[in-house]
Amino acid sequence: MKNPNGDPTFREIPDSSPRGDLTVTHNYYDHRSADRDINVIFPLDRLGELAGEGRIAGRAPIHLGFMGHIDGPLVDRLVKGTAPEAAGRLIAAGADCVLLTPA
């Protein structure tokens, strides 16, 4: 949050992460609802329910969290470096598709 252009990096989050350990660090929007229930912006439990109902095959063993604010010169870094690296990690983890949630 020190850089006004944001942060083009991502965090790898194991699927087994306790939901109480997940937190929002973005200061550019009101995230009180997400602070009460992380599924508002990171719906791991909802995806688990869909898998339990047989509607999706399951969740990947890893998930990725990005900063919601990336601007200026960092956009190029995101597009040319971070995003391809993230896609590669998800492919290697066996993900068939991704769900992007704005936050």
Side-chain angles (χ1 to χ4, degrees), residues 26-87:
H26 199 309
N27 293 329
Y28 291 98
Y29 72 99
D30 178 0
H31 52 78
R32 287 179 287 183
S33 294
D35 291 339
R36 287 190 298 275
D37 182 1
I38 197 68
N39 285 284
V40 169
I41 59 169
F42 206 61
L44 298 180
D45 295 331
R46 301 302 76 83
L47 291 171
E49 291 165 1
L50 291 171
E53 295 169 1
R55 302 180 93 180
I56 63 172
R59 295 186 309 238
I62 62 163
H63 309 283
L64 305 179
F66 287 82
M67 172 61 77
H69 168 78
I70 305 167
D71 203 7
L74 297 180
V75 172
D76 192 55
R77 183 171 160 199
L78 172 73
V79 171
K80 292 180 179 174
T82 308
E85 179 186 350

